[in-house]
Structure formats: structure tokens, C-alpha cells
């Protein structure tokens, strides 16, 4: 049966099974089974023995929706009834899959896993044209033979092609755009957003921006001011919070109290009577078998140091493990608790309300990629060596080399990130997220009760900008989180669906960050600009020959949606460009198994996308370079020696990556941002990476915002609001210059200019000669793409400079994909 592209939204309902025989529907004699099927049957029997179950008849049932081998939905658990078992559950599924069948898989749930009952198949041809399908479908065994008792499942399907969406490729058509539909938090009008590039902006960079751009904002200065001026509450969530850092470091911009370390500042505010609550991820990677992660440099959170620092103080600091939802199996619970993290980075305070005579305060929230910890403070020049004697003397961060230290000298790892401040009604949603998490992990203790908040705060509905203010913002909060981390999620599937939540196997999930990305990509008209710490996913379409893609589980849609968008524009004869900035490699020892595994997944993702683009160009008869439509970059710096530079007292061990990088005076700038800009009119900023961990909803916990300015839309003319200014400031940081073509990023002139500059910078960066500082930081990502879309290493560039780490990565033999995807 020929596969078809199912790109759009699939509405699926699973009603019921008519009956199941007492043997659970399994072929009682194993007739017609091959060795693999017989083996699985024996495993199922072994599970029953281990669980002291002579039969499975008392087990609970659940069903899934699979697009061929990609699992996209899952029902709750229900008790098996011989005469029929009912779910009556509906799912709204975003899809971008080339498939032959929509498959309904029915299983028994057991504490250590699940046992297959059978599968029911509906050919994609039956739904591709949008006709509603409502039918009873035979449940078949693995040989596609009806299971014992001829059981059937009752389902309903209706598919809506993406081209029928009124917003498809139309952008935000009206200031009245209501935001991403069916999410837990709705969109709010009358807000204010402040956008931050990096933790700090130096005066000379701000002065280099063209006069019509928005003034630069300074993230850590604003957070310092917000904490210092809080009167009632300071609530913080973090993957890491380090008490020994200082937020104010620029000698040209001192502030009273700016020399206070973060821990001392928070203690001071708590002693003043401010309620200071902190939720910091409890890093469990020190458990037996996972020490390798810390050795590879992936985890170094200071969690226990932070908790110890605040003991016997008025600051309530709670270390939060990533507990699973109650519906997870034992094995899944172990996976979640030991492998996944609380990754949100938020600061919520009360702030002054101008001209508010009552003295009431307003909620102000900070959201983004920057943790309040070591290694994050940086500015747009991203120094390697020249600040080691000053602002980075007590904040030397270099986890990519074994044994690195300030005593041995640079290069430090520079840090590029993006953050934002939210004011107005949307700031309350970030507060609600904190309260839900605190209640789940701690209880009601210590939270300021709602009745008290009503007394001291202006109401949530109070807008901070008027509808006539041309700089007003409409903003929406998104999350990846489940009922194991947040309190108050409805349990009934129909109630959860009303709140934009997804249910399955007694788990309730908010995965609205992925929904927000998908909606924004589908709306896009001209271009997309992404900065993200990771870029991997859509493994259902990798077409690998050396691994089973269905075993990887990196199923989120974002990479596939991007390539499908480009394909649609090529077919329509329209220009469209996607720019993606990622790190040279994920932070950690670059040769390590974990880093190499992630690079391998990244390469497979790139190749899938480039293959899509190349095939679309071939079908159209175009002799074009796929990199003119989809182009990847990383950031790096190369720095000549400066007068009065810090002189280390020791040296790295000879013939190491550390020694080679120090000699060459170069290193990557670590891209930690989690941001997407669409057509200069819509922006997403948050803590979520573009990988399955962040987009799944049941793995790492994340938070993000999506926003636009209703007076600055890309309708009859190009959007020229604060989002446009922010992108141009980022490009000025990365490229060292701006030019007129940058106003229209989708054009061939623009993408070729950016690619050419990045190529030039890469050649300078990778050269073993050191003549002068790099004029900019944007580097071509060091891979080649041929006319078929195959991704290979560049000539003489199998390894990253100064390392023996493969650019294309390598398959992991000891780490499960769930950990590295």
C-alpha cells in the first residue's frame, strides 16, 4: 500500500472494544507465529509469572494511536470487561507523517511494562481526503490475523489538511489573532515584553546599533533591580541556581549593593520580610550508573551546595526531583526520576506600578534560557581570555576540557543566551506555574495565599499597556510539564482536553510548547530564525539504514514541520529561508559518548530535512543549493593576545584539547538560547530545547512564552517592531555588521550574504594562523550538503578544531536513546 503524506490535524476518537476473551485475545497455541512472535509471547508469560499473575485477565487496558510506527496518542487505563471496555476518548493530533496506515494498538498494562493484545489498521487512503471514518475495526495479531474471539475496536477519524487551515502561510493576519488554540494558558492583551540578548549588554555595543532600533536591555541588571525592589515575594525556579555569583559586574555600570552575591541578596530580602521561595532541580545523576553524565560535563548544578547555603535562613529553598506522574510504570518512573530534569528558569517578583495611588504592586516575571548560575554572564563580544583577570576571574566556566581551571587559563566557554521579562496579565500565568509546582512538590506551605495577593497586588486582569499604545504586546504562556510536576490538572480526559491537556495511561500532560512551535511554523510566510541549544527530532522520518528509527522515540514534529514548510514554498514558487544557530557541539567533553550520540541524532535530523528540500528542488527542476533554503550555523571566537592579559600560574596538560585550544586561542561560543522568530512578527522564548526531552511534556519540565505586537505585523508591509529590532541586534552581534538585505531574510541575496560571511569566518576560525580577532562570530556549521541532501563532513574537517571529536557524531553503544534525545 503506497504511503501518503498526512500533514495537518487528525481528530481521532477511540470509543470501545466489543469483547476480549479470557485469554486476553492472544493466540492460544502460537499458531502461525514466527520465532520473534513466539519470543514475545514467552516474554508476556514471564511477566505474568514475575508479577504472580496466573492470567492477565485482571489487568488494565489502554490503546494507542500510531501513524505507522510513530506513537502519537494514548488512552487512559481502564478495567478489562469481557463484554466490552469503553474509553470514549478523543485526541487532536498534529501530524506531518508519510504513512500507509493509522494503527490502533491495544495493550495490557503491567507494573513492569505492557503486553500486546493486537492492532487494528485503517489505511491512510480512507482518511486522506478529509472524509469522516466511523467504524468497527478487527484487532489483528502480529501476523495480521484476527485475534482469538474476533475482537473489534470502535474508532472515529477525520483528517484536516494543513492547507485548509485559515492561518496556513498567512502569518498573523489580524491584531485580533487569539493565539495558539487549545492550550492551558490563554493569550493576554495589554502586556509589556522586554527582550534580552545575553546576560549583559555593554554600552559600546548598544551605541553601535542603528538609531531606529530599540534600546538594548540588560538582563541581569534588570533581575538584580527586580529582586532588590521586591516588597512581598521572590519566587525562583531553576535547573541550577548558584549562590556565589554576582549579577552586577560591568565596572562602567555600578549599582548600590551590586557587589552582593546572589545568595546574600536573597537572604537579605528574606530578612526584610519578603517571601523568598526557590524550586531547584534535585540532580539525581549521581545515582549508580549515571556518574558518567557528570564526568562528561552534562550536569554540574551545585544543587546540594545551594540547599546547604540556605539552611537555617528565611529563604525556603527546595530541591525538587523530577518525579513521574502516578500513571507511569515502575520502569518509566525510574527513567523519569533519574534521567530527566526540571529545566524551567523563572524569576517572579512584585514590582512597582507607576501612578498606582493605592500602593498595590504588580506581578513581574522573567522567563527564558538563562539560569542564575556560574558560566552564564557574558556580553556580545564573548571573550575567551581578556576578561579572565576581571569579570570572569571568579566565574571561570569550561566544562568541555578535563581538568580545566582558572589557574590553567583560557579559553573560557563563552555563553550566548536569550531571555525576557513579562509584565501585565501574562506574568500571572508564570506565577500560576510556580504555585502549581510548589503545591505538587511541597504543599501549600509558605506560598502567599490568593486572598493576600488580592490585597497587595493589582488584579490579574489589569493591563499594563492600553489598546492604543503602539508598543503593546499580546502574550501567551506555554509549558512542557505533566501531573507529576504540577498540581491541579484535571484527571478526566474530557476535562483535561478542555484545558488543552493531553491524557494517557493515567498521565496528564501539557505539551503546549511543541504546539506553539508547530502553529508558528505553519503560519510562517517568509522566513524563520532559530537559536537553540539542541536541534534533533522527527525520527519517524530519518530513513536510517544502520539503526531502527522506530526505537529512537524522538517523535516531536518541529524539524519535519520546517522542511515541509520549505517544500510548500518551493512548490508554490516562493522564497522561504530557515536559519538555525546551534552550538558547535553540546556542552561536555566533545569526544564523550553522550556528546557524540547527540551529534549523531543531529546529523540524522539535518539529513532528513536537507533530503526533503533537495527532492522538492529536483521535482521542480531547480538547480539550486539546499543551503539557500535551510542553513545551519554555530558561533565561535578567536582572540589575539591583549596587553596586560591574565597570566595563568599553571598550564594544561600537553597534547590535550585544552592545550591545543589555548595555543590556537579559539573556542566555540556556547549557544544556549531557546528562541524562534517568525517573519519578524512573532517570537517564542523559553527554556525548551528542540529535542524530545523538552518537547515531550512528560520528560524535562519547561516554560516558554509566545508573543507579538498587534501594531507591528507583517501584513501589507514588513514588521518593524521590537521583534525585528531584536533580530537585527542579534545579527549585529553574530555578524559584526548589518546591511539592507537583512531586512528581507527570505531573499536569495540575504541568505547568500549571511552564508558567505559565515563561510569566511569559519575559514578564519579553523585556520591555524592567528592574525587578528574575528570580525564576527557566526560560523558555517562544518558540514557539506550535496544535491541529494546527504550531509557529510567538510573536506579535512572530520573532527572539530583542536579535538578528536567527530563533527557528524557516532552511535552510542552504552547510552539509551531516551537519555540523549
Amino acid at each position: 500500500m503506497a504511503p501518503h503524506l498526512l500533514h495537518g490535524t487528525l481528530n481521532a476518537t477511540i470509543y470501545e472494544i466489543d469483547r476480549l476473551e479470557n485469554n486476553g485475545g492472544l493466540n492460544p497455541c502460537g499458531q502461525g507465529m514466527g520465532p520473534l512472535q513466539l519470543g514475545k509471547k514467552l516474554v508476556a508469560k514471564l511477566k505474568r509469572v514475575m508479577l504472580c499473575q496466573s492470567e492477565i485477565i485482571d489487568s488494565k487496558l489502554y490503546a494507542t494511536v500510531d501513524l505507522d510506527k510513530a506513537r502519537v496518542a494514548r488512552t487512559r487505563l481502564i478495567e478489562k470487561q469481557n463484554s466490552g471496555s469503553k474509553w470514549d476518548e478523543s485526541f487532536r493530533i498534529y501530524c506531518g507523517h508519510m504513512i500507509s496506515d493509522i494503527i490502533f494498538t491495544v495493550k495490557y498494562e503491567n507494573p513492569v511494562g505492557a503486553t500486546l493484545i493486537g492492532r487494528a489498521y485503517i489505511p491512510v487512503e480512507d482518511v486522506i481526503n478529509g472524509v469522516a471514518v466511523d467504524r468497527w475495526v478487527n484487532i489483528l495479531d502480529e501476523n495480521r490475523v484476527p485475534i482469538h474471539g474476533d475482537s473489534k475496536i470502535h474508532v472515529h477519524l477525520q483528517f484536516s489538511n494543513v492547507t485548509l487551515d485559515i492561518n496556513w502561510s498567512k502569518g498573523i493576519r489580524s491584531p485580533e489573532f487569539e493565539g495558539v488554540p487549545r492550550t492551558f494558558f490563554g493569550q493576554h492583551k495589554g502586556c509589556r515584553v522586554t527582550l534580552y540578548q545575553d546576560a549583559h549588554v555593554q554600552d559600546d555595543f548598544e551605541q553601535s546599533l542603528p538609531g531606529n532600533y530599540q534600546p538594548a536591555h540588560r538582563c541581569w541588571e534588570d533581575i538584580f533591580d527586580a529582586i532588590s525592589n521586591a516588597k512581598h515575594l521572590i519566587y525562583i525556579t531553576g535547573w541550577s541556581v548558584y549562590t556565589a555569583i554576582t549579577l552586577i559586574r560591568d565596572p562602567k555600570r555600578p549599582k548600590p549593593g551590586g557587589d552582593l552575591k546572589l545568595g546574600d541578596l536573597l537572604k537579605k530580602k528574606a530578612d526584610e520580610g519578603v517571601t523568598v521561595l526557590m524550586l531547584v532541580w534535585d540532580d539525581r545523576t549521581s545515582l549508580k550508573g549515571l556518574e558518567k553524565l557528570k564526568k562528561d560535563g552534562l550536569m554540574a548544578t551545585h544543587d546540594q551546595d545551594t540547599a546547604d547555603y540556605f539552611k537555617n535562613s528565611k529563604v525556603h529553598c527546595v530541591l525538587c526531583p523530577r518525579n513521574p506522574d502516578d500513571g507511569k510504570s515502575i520502569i518509566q518512573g525510574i527513567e523519569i526520576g533519574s534521567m530527566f530534569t526540571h529545566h524551567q528558569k523563572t524569576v517572579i517578583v512584585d514590582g512597582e506600578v507607576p501612578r498606582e495611588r493605592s500602593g498595590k504592586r504588580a506581578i513581574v516575571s522573567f522567563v527564558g534560557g538563562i539560569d542564575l548560575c556560574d558560566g552564564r554572564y557574558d556580553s556580545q563580544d564573548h571573550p575567551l581570555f581578556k576578561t579572565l583577570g576581571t569579570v570572569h576571574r571568579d566565574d571561570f566556566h569550561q566544562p568541555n576540557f578535563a581538568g580545566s581551571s582558572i589557574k590553567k587559563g583560557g579559553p573560557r566557554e563563552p555563553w550566548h543566551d536569550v531571555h525576557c521579562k513579562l509584565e501585565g496579565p501574562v506574568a500571572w500565568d508564570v506565577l500560576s506555574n510556580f504555585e502549581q509546582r510548589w503545591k505538587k512538590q511541597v504543599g501549600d506551605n509558605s506560598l502567599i495565599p490568593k486572598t493576600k495577593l488580592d490585597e497587595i497586588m493589582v488584579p490579574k486582569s489589569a493591563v499594563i499597556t492600553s489598546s492604543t499604545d503602539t508598543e503593546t504586546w499580546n502574550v501567551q504562556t506555554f509549558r512542557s510539564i505533566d501531573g507529576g510536576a504540577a498540581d491541579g490538572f484535571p484527571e478526566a480526559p474530557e476535562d483535561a482536553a478542555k484545558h488543552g491537556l493531553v491524557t494517557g495511561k493515567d498521565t496528564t500532560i501539557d505539551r503546549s510548547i511543541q504546539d506553539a512551535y508547530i502553529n508558528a511554523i505553519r503560519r510562517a510566510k517568509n522566513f524563520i530564525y532559530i537559536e537553540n541549544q539542541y536541534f534533533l527530532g522527527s525520527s519517524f522520518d530519518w530513513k536510517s539504514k544502520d539503526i531502527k528509527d522506530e526505537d529512537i522515540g524522538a517523535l516531536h514534529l518541529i524539524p519535519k514541520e520546517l522542511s515541509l514548510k520549505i517544500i510548500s514554498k518551493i512548490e508554490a514558487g516562493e522564497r522561504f529561508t530557515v536559519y538555525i544557530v546551534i552550538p558547535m557541539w553540546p556542552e561536555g567533553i566533545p569526544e564523550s559518548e553522550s556528546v557524540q550520540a547527540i551529534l549523531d541524532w543531529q546529523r540524522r535530523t539535518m539529513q532528513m530535512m536537507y533530503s526533503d528540500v533537495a527532492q522538492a528542488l529536483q521535482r521542480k527542476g531547480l538547480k539550486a543549493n539546499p543551503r539557500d533554503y535551510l542553513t545551519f550555523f554555530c558561533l565561535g571566537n578567536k582572540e589575539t593576545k591583549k596587553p596586560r592579559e591574565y597570566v595563568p600560574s599553571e598550564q594544561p596538560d600537553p597534547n590535550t584539547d585544552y592545550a591545543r585550544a589555548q595555543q590556537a586561542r579559539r573556542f566555540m561560543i556556547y549557544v544556549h538560547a531557546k528562541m524562534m522568530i517568525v517573519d519578524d512578527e512573532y517570537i517564542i522564548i523559553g527554556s525548551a530545547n528542540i529535542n524530545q526531552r523538552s518537547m515531550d511534556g512528560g520528560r524535562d519540565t519547561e516554560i516558554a512564552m509566545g508573543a507579538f505586537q498587534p501594531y507591528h505585523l507583517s501584513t501589507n508591509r514588513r514588521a518593524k517592531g521590537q521583534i525585528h529590532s531584536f533580530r537585527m541586534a542579534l545579527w549585529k552581534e553574530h555578524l559584526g555588521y548589518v546591511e539592507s538585505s537583512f531586512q528581507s531574510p527570505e531573499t536569495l541575496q540575504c541568505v547568500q550574504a549571511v552564508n558567505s560571511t559565515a563561510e569566511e569566518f569559519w575559514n578564519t576560525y579553523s585556520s591555524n594562523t592567528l592574525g587578528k580577532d574575528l570580525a564576527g562570530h557566526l560560523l558555517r556549521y562544518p558540514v557539506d550538503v550535496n544535491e541529494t541532501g546527504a550531509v557529510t563532513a567538510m573536506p579535512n574537517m572530520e573532527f572539530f578544531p583542536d579535538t578528536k571529536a567527530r563533527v557528524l557524531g557516532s552511535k552510542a553503544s552504552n547510552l539509551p536513546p531516551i537519555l540523549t534525545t
Side-chain angles (χ1 to χ4, degrees):
M1 194 175 298
H4 293 266
L5 176 63
L6 205 66
H7 187 207
T9 305
L10 179 67
N11 290 294
T13 300
I14 301 177
Y15 293 114
E16 59 183 320
I17 291 179
D18 56 353
R19 64 182 177 274
L20 282 175
E21 300 295 335
N22 283 346
N23 65 358
L26 297 170
N27 185 328
C29 301
Q31 296 173 351
M33 291 186 178
L36 179 62
Q37 287 78 21
L38 283 171
K40 290 183 176 180
K41 181 177 173 65
L42 290 173
V43 169
K45 288 184 176 180
L46 179 61
K47 285 181 181 178
R48 297 200 296 274
V49 171
M50 291 173 62
L51 296 168
C52 302
Q53 293 176 320
S54 60
E55 295 291 339
I56 295 185
I57 57 174
D58 294 327
S59 297
K60 293 184 177 181
L61 300 171
Y62 70 95
T64 66
V65 183
D66 305 324
L67 303 181
D68 278 356
K69 295 181 179 180
R71 183 143 298 166
V72 293
R74 175 178 291 147
T75 69
R76 72 191 188 281
L77 294 168
I78 59 170
E79 296 290 341
K80 172 187 173 289
Q81 304 291 332
N82 289 340
S83 59
S85 301
K86 292 187 178 183
W87 285 283
D88 290 333
E89 282 189 57
S90 297
F91 307 94
R92 186 173 185 271
I93 301 163
Y94 292 115
C95 46
H97 302 68
M98 184 72 73
I99 63 167
S100 299
D101 295 291
I102 299 164
I103 304 170
F104 298 89
T105 302
V106 185
K107 291 187 175 185
Y108 287 116
E109 171 71 357
N110 294 299
V112 294
T115 303
L116 176 69
I117 296 173
R119 296 183 176 95
Y121 299 80
I122 293 183
V124 68
E125 289 99 329
D126 292 4
V127 303
I128 194 72
N129 293 321
V131 176
V133 173
D134 191 308
R135 68 178 64 154
W136 288 88
V137 190
N138 286 99
I139 301 175
L140 311 179
D141 66 17
E142 292 184 303
N143 294 312
R144 298 215 179 189
V145 175
I147 65 172
H148 185 70
D150 292 326
S151 300
K152 295 180 177 64
I153 187 170
H154 183 198
V155 299
H156 180 278
L157 293 172
Q158 187 160 26
F159 170 68
S160 177
N161 192 284
V162 71
T163 58
L164 301 178
D165 185 340
I166 60 172
N167 295 313
W168 168 250
S169 286
K170 298 290 179 60
I172 298 176
R173 299 179 301 145
S174 163
E176 299 306 312
F177 173 68
E178 295 182 350
V180 178
R182 299 173 183 85
T183 58
F184 190 85
F185 294 115
Q187 183 174 272
H188 299 282
K189 296 180 179 181
C191 301
R192 180 182 295 129
V193 176
T194 305
L195 303 173
Y196 302 109
Q197 63 187 107
D198 304 310
H200 185 62
V201 175
Q202 293 181 327
D203 291 345
D204 55 356
F205 178 80
E206 181 177 23
Q207 292 161 6
S208 72
L209 296 173
N212 59 335
Y213 288 1
Q214 295 290 324
H217 302 285
R218 295 165 177 84
C219 183
W220 277 15
E221 284 190 9
D222 285 2
I223 290 177
F224 174 83
D225 289 341
I227 292 174
S228 298
N229 295 327
K231 304 292 186 186
H232 301 288
L233 66 89
I234 300 167
Y235 294 171
I236 296 172
T237 68
W239 176 83
S240 172
V241 177
Y242 191 39
T243 59
I245 62 167
T246 54
L247 300 176
I248 306 300
R249 304 189 196 180
D250 189 339
K252 297 180 180 178
R253 301 178 60 86
K255 286 179 175 287
D259 58 342
L260 276 177
K261 288 181 169 53
L262 175 62
D264 295 333
L265 176 62
L266 293 174
K267 282 184 176 180
K268 175 176 178 289
K269 296 305 295 184
D271 289 341
E272 292 173 2
V274 177
T275 300
V276 182
L277 308 182
M278 300 172 63
L279 290 171
V280 179
W281 173 51
D282 184 1
D283 180 0
R284 289 181 172 178
T285 57
S286 57
L287 291 175
K288 183 175 176 59
L290 292 174
E291 304 94 330
K292 184 175 176 57
L293 287 180
K294 286 190 174 181
K295 181 181 176 183
D296 289 353
L298 294 182
M299 310 292 183
T301 63
H302 309 288
D303 54 337
Q304 195 58 54
D305 293 339
T306 299
D308 291 343
Y309 182 87
F310 289 117
K311 278 182 180 177
N312 302 317
S313 77
K314 295 181 180 180
V315 174
H316 300 270
C317 179
V318 178
L319 297 187
C320 305
R322 176 60 177 99
N323 292 327
D325 194 294
D326 294 339
K328 298 293 185 181
S329 69
I330 295 172
I331 292 174
Q332 289 172 323
I334 293 171
E335 285 178 343
I336 290 171
S338 60
M339 294 184 181
F340 302 129
T341 78
H342 289 300
H343 201 238
Q344 297 179 346
K345 305 118 178 14
T346 65
V347 177
I348 305 123
V349 301
D350 63 287
E352 183 180 359
V353 181
R355 300 178 297 279
E356 176 60 40
R357 295 181 179 179
S358 68
K360 287 189 174 184
R361 311 275 287 177
I363 295 296
V364 178
S365 298
F366 294 82
V367 172
I370 305 180
D371 283 289
L372 296 177
C373 66
D374 50 328
R376 273 46 174 181
Y377 184 91
D378 215 336
S379 55
Q380 291 64 52
D381 56 347
H382 298 293
L384 303 174
F385 298 92
K386 67 181 183 181
T387 56
L388 295 185
T390 54
V391 298
H392 291 113
R393 179 69 180 86
D394 298 318
D395 188 6
F396 179 82
H397 183 72
Q398 181 47 278
N400 303 275
F401 303 139
S404 64
S405 71
I406 186 68
K407 291 181 179 180
K408 295 179 182 178
R412 61 176 286 270
E413 180 184 61
W415 198 271
H416 173 67
D417 222 324
V418 171
H419 217 73
C420 68
K421 177 170 67 174
L422 305 177
E423 300 172 88
V426 70
W428 285 80
D429 290 343
V430 184
L431 171 63
S432 295
N433 168 75
F434 182 93
E435 291 174 332
Q436 284 186 324
R437 286 191 54 194
W438 186 273
K439 289 175 182 178
K440 187 69 176 184
Q441 300 268 180
V442 184
D444 289 333
N445 301 340
S446 305
L447 282 171
I448 297 178
K450 183 180 182 303
T451 52
K452 180 66 174 178
L453 288 175
D454 290 342
E455 293 176 11
I456 60 179
M457 302 291 176
V458 295
K460 176 180 179 178
S461 59
V463 298
I464 200 165
T465 55
S466 71
S467 60
T468 59
D469 185 343
T470 58
E471 295 305 316
T472 191
W473 287 79
N474 293 5
V475 194
Q476 192 170 5
T477 301
F478 309 113
R479 291 186 297 183
S480 292
I481 201 167
D482 65 14
D487 184 64
F489 282 179
E491 295 183 4
E494 58 272 19
D495 294 333
K498 292 176 184 177
H499 289 83
L501 303 173
V502 180
T503 56
K505 286 180 68 176
D506 290 348
T507 301
T508 305
I509 295 173
D510 182 344
R511 61 169 62 123
S512 53
I513 296 179
Q514 184 179 169
D515 293 353
Y517 271 86
I518 292 169
N519 275 265
I521 294 166
R522 291 183 175 184
R523 287 195 308 269
K525 293 191 301 183
N526 300 314
F527 78 93
I528 290 173
Y529 175 62
I530 291 172
E531 294 184 358
N532 206 281
Q533 181 185 3
Y534 294 96
F535 192 85
L536 61 92
S538 303
S539 60
F540 55 82
D541 201 36
W542 282 355
K543 300 182 179 67
S544 302
K545 296 180 180 178
D546 58 335
I547 63 172
K548 294 177 67 175
D549 291 336
E550 61 267 28
D551 292 341
I552 306 306
L555 298 177
H556 74 88
L557 274 179
I558 294 167
K560 192 64 181 180
E561 287 288 346
L562 289 166
S563 62
L564 289 173
K565 170 62 70 168
I566 297 170
I567 290 170
S568 73
K569 292 295 187 175
I570 292 172
E571 292 174 345
E574 301 173 6
R575 279 294 311 169
F576 193 90
T577 308
V578 176
Y579 301 80
I580 301 175
V581 182
I582 54 179
M584 203 173 291
W585 67 79
E587 187 178 57
I589 306 299
E591 297 92 344
S592 67
E593 186 176 21
S594 55
V595 171
Q596 285 289 297
I598 295 168
L599 289 170
D600 180 53
W601 308 138
Q602 177 180 284
R603 189 264 307 170
R604 295 174 195 271
T605 304
M606 287 182 177
Q607 183 153 301
M608 174 201 69
M609 298 174 72
Y610 276 123
S611 296
D612 285 348
V613 174
Q615 290 169 18
L617 292 171
Q618 290 168 3
R619 289 194 298 268
K620 201 72 174 173
L622 298 174
K623 300 284 187 183
N625 187 339
R627 291 185 63 245
D628 289 341
Y629 297 83
L630 170 66
T631 182
F632 286 85
F633 307 96
C634 54
L635 301 180
N637 200 5
K638 197 171 188 178
E639 186 180 297
T640 58
K641 194 164 187 175
K642 304 297 187 294
R644 298 181 298 279
E645 189 175 278
Y646 168 78
V647 178
S649 58
E650 302 174 13
Q651 291 185 336
D653 292 339
N655 197 32
T656 59
D657 293 0
Y658 193 2
R660 286 186 287 268
Q662 188 174 96
Q663 178 67 28
R665 297 185 65 85
R666 64 187 168 198
F667 200 70
M668 70 167 173
I669 298 167
Y670 196 59
V671 178
H672 193 258
K674 300 94 169 54
M675 178 202 74
M676 182 170 76
I677 290 174
V678 178
D679 297 332
D680 278 349
E681 68 177 4
Y682 190 81
I683 188 168
I684 296 174
I685 293 174
S687 65
N689 298 310
I690 298 180
N691 60 7
Q692 193 64 26
R693 292 178 66 110
S694 287
M695 295 296 166
D696 187 88
R699 298 187 182 184
D700 289 351
T701 61
E702 311 282 4
I703 191 167
M705 72 84 173
F708 68 95
Q709 293 188 279
Y711 284 92
H712 299 282
L713 301 180
S714 181
T715 48
N716 298 325
R717 57 185 180 182
R718 305 198 74 90
K720 290 293 182 70
Q722 293 179 38
I723 298 172
H724 168 76
S725 291
F726 189 63
R727 178 182 64 81
M728 294 296 279
L730 288 167
W731 284 26
K732 175 66 166 62
E733 173 184 349
H734 300 333
L735 289 158
Y737 71 99
V738 293
E739 64 170 61
S740 59
S741 72
F742 294 0
Q743 304 288 333
S744 305
E746 74 278 9
T747 62
L748 197 59
Q749 179 186 2
C750 180
V751 68
Q752 290 183 344
V754 174
N755 280 341
S756 176
T757 300
E759 179 94 24
E760 176 188 342
F761 289 164
W762 173 259
N763 291 337
T764 302
Y765 177 87
S766 60
S767 168
N768 289 326
T769 61
L770 180 63
K772 58 182 180 180
D773 291 349
L774 276 177
H777 302 129
L778 192 73
L779 311 178
R780 170 182 178 165
Y781 199 83
V783 295
D784 271 342
V785 181
N786 68 16
E787 66 278 1
T788 68
V791 174
T792 58
M794 294 170 62
N796 303 314
M797 197 51 65
E798 181 182 359
F799 307 108
F800 292 111
D802 307 319
T803 79
K804 290 299 180 183
R806 296 181 184 277
V807 171
L808 300 180
S810 57
K811 290 188 293 183
S813 57
N814 299 311
L815 296 176
I818 194 173
L819 184 64
T820 53
T821 56

